[in-house]
Amino acid sequence: MSTAHLQFPCFLGKRVHLGVTGSVAAYKSIELLRLLRQCQVAVSVTLTESALRFVGPESFRALGADMVTTSMFGPGAGEDPFVHLTPGQTASAMVIAPATANILAKLAHGLADDLLSTQALAFGGPLLLAPAMNPAMWSAPATQANWRTLLARGTVGIGPAVGDVACGDTGQGKLSPVEHILAGVLRALSPHDLAGKTVLVTLGPTRENWDAVRFLSNPSSGLMGACLAVSAWMRGAHVRVVAGPTGFDFPPGIEVTPVTSALEMLDACQALWPDSDLACCTAAVCDFRPLAPKNADPARKLKKRDMAPDDLVLRLAANPDILRTLGEQKRKDQILIGFAAETEDLMGQARFKLSEKNLDLIVANLVGVPGSGFDSGTNTVAVLDRTGRVEQWPELPKTEVAWRVWDLLRHL
Ligand code: CTP
């Protein structure tokens, strides 16, 4: 599964304390550490005594944890005599993944009988818990009561997911995907300057079928839109994504409406736009859709023998312009952001689309050049807003372009 839409390299200076407890899923916390380090987050780690049965401190050190402790006293405590207080003094968030039924019980009741539970009790910042256990243990009344107590106290719960667990049982109790835990941690580290806003994002290509098995489309990966959606959610917004066919997995807090064609995308957007504060249209919508040959049944595959082999004529009809439609319906209290993908006259086309489609901001990029546009991890863009502000940005990861776009809202 691609994590490109979660690799935000802008958390330099932030620190997370990662607690690992004794579950078969403990090995997944090593991947969580790796993903956090890719976002430049500094990570310290505490492994409980039972976690040490599944994973060792060396793996965490090798992948970039700068302090790994395993006990309150003795060599496992490291050099710091106040190691039980250090996370509270240095980390911006604490995450325990996987979190066993035992640690949930200890945290719910304020027990501090080992290093991790003591560190958690002394931690005043955002605490995130990603439980993992057998489904019977998860649904046990005691665990459920402890979980409710923790959530009511403001702890952020991530999962657990439903699926097959290590012992062969199936049910709720599986550790949430590491990508969801990462997204939750990044959200806890982010400023919530978009809190209270509802943001609509269109992304990906559309597919326009001309029979049951063939379609017209384009190579858009949807990455730019996915980065905008995730970063708006991390910054506190309620985010609704209308997605053409793409392979992204979004954190559960993001509402996703999957669509295939431009007409479906338009319908979904029109239903969501009236009660959204902002919309950002990044989708590479096909401007035309094929019209099925006369008398053809769209549910059937056209046979080659029925088509003229060297002179096939496909009739096309214009698709609606979704961004323009939202611009026509825009109220004064709404903000609309568009993209412009151009092969020439970038600034001229961007200015034209900004005013033609009644936008507040447009992000323009050249397509067909390395480091920019379709199917690239980076983008080189110019940004123009309705007040006349123009900024030209260097080649940047799409996650960073997304973050900077939301920063520009303060000028509108
Ligand atoms: N867009 C849209 N619906 C369409 C076409 C485009 O919502 N049918 C949106 C895109 O999501 C993007 C913006 O309009 O935000 C500009 O898209 P772009 O492909 O650059 O240009 P077009 O408006 O389609 O015009 P042209 O193809 O002539 O450049």
Side-chain angles (χ1 to χ4, degrees), residues 326-392:
L326 301 188
E328 284 162 4
Q329 297 167 354
K330 187 174 73 160
R331 297 187 309 265
K332 283 205 164 36
D333 61 330
Q334 291 177 307
I335 288 183
L336 186 57
I337 303 175
F339 272 66
E342 308 295 342
T343 52
E344 60 205 341
D345 184 23
L346 184 68
M347 298 309 266
Q349 287 300 316
R351 272 197 191 91
F352 176 72
K353 288 177 186 175
L354 179 71
S355 94
E356 261 283 290
K357 301 197 189 191
N358 192 21
L359 309 181
D360 299 285
L361 193 104
I362 191 157
V363 184
N365 64 290
L366 283 175
V367 285
V369 295
S372 193
F374 284 148
D375 223 9
S376 165
T378 59
N379 223 350
T380 310
V381 303
V383 191
L384 294 74
D385 76 15
R386 65 165 145 77
T387 70
R389 169 182 293 270
V390 178
E391 291 188 13
Q392 177 74 58

Side-chain angles (χ1 to χ4, degrees), residues 202 262 281-287 319-324 337-342 349 353 357 362:
T202 73
C281 292
T282 72
V285 182
C286 291
D287 290 318
N319 266 335
D321 188 317
I322 298 166
L323 181 62
R324 183 190 299 270
I337 303 175
F339 272 66
E342 308 295 342
Q349 287 300 316
K353 288 177 186 175
K357 301 197 189 191
I362 191 157

Side-chain angles (χ1 to χ4, degrees), residues 194-232:
L194 297 180
K197 302 280 182 210
T198 297
V199 175
L200 167 64
V201 178
T202 73
L203 62 86
T206 63
R207 274 185 195 166
E208 313 295 331
N209 274 76
W210 52 286
D211 73 2
V213 297
R214 301 178 178 94
F215 57 82
L216 296 183
S217 192
N218 60 63
S220 165
S221 65
L223 177 58
M224 191 64 245
C227 295
L228 279 151
V230 171
S231 53

